């Protein structure tokens, strides 16, 4: 018996969704999507009563069950699950029997999955822009559905948009046609023929252009950055080939990239056929392309083999980070892969603020296991227990080793993993020693620093240097001022460097860095950057009010989820409703 999903009202033990067919009209004036969804559902056991779908802030007009009007009701709104939609079955359903449930509905302008941008907020300034972000539980604000990663279905979509604009989805494009109902509009058709979980439904509408970057890849963005993006992500096909070599064929056909407006809240999002990335990756030197390697890796771990519920999220992200680093290892060097692993470990350590105990462990056969796991569970959703059972069956001659693993510590004990791998520290050593020089320096030592300290360091190493300095106690103001003098970090545009540098300055209470930090926090909205920058300024007592007033001023232009979370961080009440 399948376990339940605590994030969903839908009872996927009773029904499964096989296919979803969307008919949408994107209304930029009202900031809503109107239309319908037809769900092909299948009873898993004899059913007499009702079917429950997840919704959030949706207006439901009517429901048809096999073409016949059906009774429905919305329950009470739950804090994070949204509102259950209960649909009465007009007829009894037998086990295995399928039906088409069609829901006519409208989204809310505050839908948590959607950000609506005015033309003014875009690069081109001529057309508005819409994008979705459904992971983890926001699809229900876009489509009434069984919004759980335990369920996989194929989807088709027909999307009507203003005719000067382009619609893209996490699917193959299946042609356009004029909208027969409105001469100013155009319909884009899509098909996703590989079954996907609801959180991978994605839609974007904007003045988009594209460039070819490989035999199965285009990069999409507003025209102002499309050439820069084509340069930045030119390694995409190389990465895809390495990934295929590691874990098997890429089953999704096209692999396109979409560079979103700066308010996109994540670094990347693995929407099938169309990875979304933040424009903060456009460093000009391809140095932040590991995010693309990460999203490519999700094509196997996440999209092909999917975590059954969000409690098993590590199955998606853990295997994906492992693959992301193997790709980096093949592209650059094994030394570089291990450098990234050390950085990742430190980041994890810092996030727990606990001490690690150092042991040695090496599990080279893991890639063989991962490949077999992907083959075994392709097109399915998996829970941690199933992963573990498969691990034991794959390593049946190594049961002793597996039994010696402290599974309870790994899976159920908060804090660091119970073992630590030893890595090649060549590239990390330069960062560690320079970090130590700065953190131990007395005022009289400051003269000894010069631009030569960092002239042989890569941008990856500069990021790591600053990350290490952020773990230490705040530097004195004199130190960061000297650092600016000799390294001129204020001039660096690379977002990962700039972010850590500005945090370091704020921690050192350098007042001149406050406007720069708030500028970065608001000019882009990647939550990894925006939330800590706002919080750091907020904690700098003298600028507490400025952080709050800057937030209030920008809130209506921010992504609904970012606005909600920054508001929570800064303890500002949601005076006007953004998203739930
Ligand atoms: N799928 C995640 C992003 C995500 C996770 C969105 C949970 C919503 C809920 C994506 O693959 C990811 O991990 N992105 C990272 C970058 C990556 C290189 C670690 C990010 O956005 O920072
Ligand atoms: Zn990820």
């Amino acid at each position: 018996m399948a376990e339940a999903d605590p994030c969903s009202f839908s009872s996927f033990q009773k029904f499964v969704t096989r296919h979803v067919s969307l008919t949408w009209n994107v209304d930029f004036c009202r900031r809503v999507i109107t239309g319908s969804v037809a769900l092909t559902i299948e009873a898993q056991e004899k059913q007499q009563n009702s079917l429950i779908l997840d919704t959030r802030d949706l207006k439901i007009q009517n429901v048809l069950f096999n073409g016949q009007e059906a009774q429905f009701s919305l329950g009470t709104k739950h804090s994070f699950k949204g509102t259950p939609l209960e649909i009465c079955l007009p007829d009894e359903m037998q086990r295995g029997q399928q039906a088409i449930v069609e829901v006519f509905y409208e989204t809310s302008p505050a839908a948590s999955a959607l950000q609506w941008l005015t033309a003014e907020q875009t690069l081109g300034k001529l057309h508005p822009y819409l994008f979705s972000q459904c992971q983890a539980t926001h699809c229900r604000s876009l489509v009434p559905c069984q919004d759980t990663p335990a369920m996989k279905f194929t989807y088709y979509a027909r999307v009507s948009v203003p005719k000067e604009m382009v619609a893209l989805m996490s699917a193959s494009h299946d042609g356009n046609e004029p909208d027969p109902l409105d001469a100013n509009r155009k319909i884009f058709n899509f098909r996703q023929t590989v079954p996907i979980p609801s959180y991978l439904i994605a839609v974007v509408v904007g003045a988009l252009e594209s460039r070819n970057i490989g035999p199965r890849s285009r990069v999409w963005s507003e025209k102002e950055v499309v050439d820069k993006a084509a340069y930045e992500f030119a390694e995409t096909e190389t990465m895809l080939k390495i990934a295929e070599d590691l874990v098997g064929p890429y089953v999704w056909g096209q692999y396109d990239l979409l560079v979103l407006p700066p308010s996109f809240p994540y670094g990347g999002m693995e929407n099938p056929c169309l990875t979304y990335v933040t424009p903060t990756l456009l460093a000009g030197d391809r140095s932040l392309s590991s995010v693309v390697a990460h999203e490519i890796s999700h094509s196997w771990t996440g999209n092909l083999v999917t975590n059954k519920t969000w409690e098993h999220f590590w199955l998606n992200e853990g295997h994906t980070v492992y693959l992301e680093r193997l790709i980096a290892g093949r592209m650059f060097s094994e030394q570089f892969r291990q450098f990234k692993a050390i950085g990742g470990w430190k980041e994890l350590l810092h996030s727990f603020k606990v001490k690690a105990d150092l042991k040695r462990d090496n599990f080279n056969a893991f890639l063989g296991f991962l490949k077999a796991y992907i083959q075994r569970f392709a097109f399915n959703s998996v829970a941690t227990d199933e992963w573990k059972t498969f691990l034991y069956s794959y390593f049946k001659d190594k049961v002793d080793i597996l039994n010696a693993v402290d599974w309870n510590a790994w899976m159920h004990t908060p804090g660091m993993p119970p073992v630590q791998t030893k890595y090649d520290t060549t590239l990390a050593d330069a960062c560690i020693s320079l970090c130590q020089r700065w953190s131990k320096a007395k005022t009289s030592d400051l003269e000894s620093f010069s631009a030569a300290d960092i002239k042989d360091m890569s941008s990856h190493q500069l990021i790591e240097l600053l990350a290490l300095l952020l773990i230490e106690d705040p530097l004195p103001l004199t130190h960061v001022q000297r650092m600016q003098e000799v390294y001129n970090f204020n001039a660096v545009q690379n977002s990962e460097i700039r972010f850590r540098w500005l945090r370091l300055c704020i921690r050192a209470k350098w007042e001149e860095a406050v406007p720069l930090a708030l500028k970065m926090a608001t000019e882009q909205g990647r939550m990894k950057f925006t939330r800590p920058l706002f919080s750091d300024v907020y904690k700098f007592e003298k600028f507490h009010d400025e952080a709050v007033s800057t937030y209030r001023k920008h809130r209506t232009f921010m992504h609904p989820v970012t606005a909600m979370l920054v508001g929570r961080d800064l303890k500002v009440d949601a005076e006007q409703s953004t998203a739930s």
Side-chain angles (χ1 to χ4, degrees), residues 135 268 270 294-295 298 301 313 316-317 320-321 324:
Q135 197 183 13
E270 66 272 23
H294 178 96
E295 307 313 333
H298 273 307
T301 47
F313 187 50
N316 274 17
E317 295 303 332
T320 298
V321 170
E324 167 200 336

Side-chain angles (χ1 to χ4, degrees), residues 22 28 58 116 131 167-168 202 215 276 323 330 360 408 418 459 478 495 539 575:
L22 300 161
F28 279 100
L58 294 179
W116 299 85
F131 69 87
L168 301 174
Y276 282 17
L323 284 175
R330 290 261 187 112
R360 191 182 170 82
N408 188 51
S459 61
T478 47
S495 58
K539 282 181 215 142
E575 288 142 19

Side-chain angles (χ1 to χ4, degrees), residues 354-422:
V354 295
K355 288 243 178 293
D357 88 273
L358 305 175
K359 279 192 195 154
R360 191 182 170 82
D361 189 51
N362 243 320
F363 220 6
N364 283 328
F366 193 76
L367 181 58
F369 163 74
L370 184 56
K371 210 168 167 168
Y373 161 82
I374 290 167
Q375 263 165 29
R376 165 67 183 79
F377 293 108
F379 310 107
N380 284 295
S381 301
V382 188
T384 301
D385 276 352
E386 298 163 277
W387 174 88
K388 193 175 158 190
T389 304
F390 187 70
L391 185 78
Y392 269 80
S393 73
Y394 183 83
F395 291 113
K396 47 181 165 311
D397 52 338
K398 295 195 173 65
V399 170
D400 290 350
I401 300 178
L402 291 175
N403 281 336
V405 170
D406 186 351
W407 291 108
N408 188 51
W410 275 100
M411 303 297 182
H412 304 293
T413 312
M416 290 303 281
V419 291
Q420 184 178 17
T421 312
K422 279 229 169 68

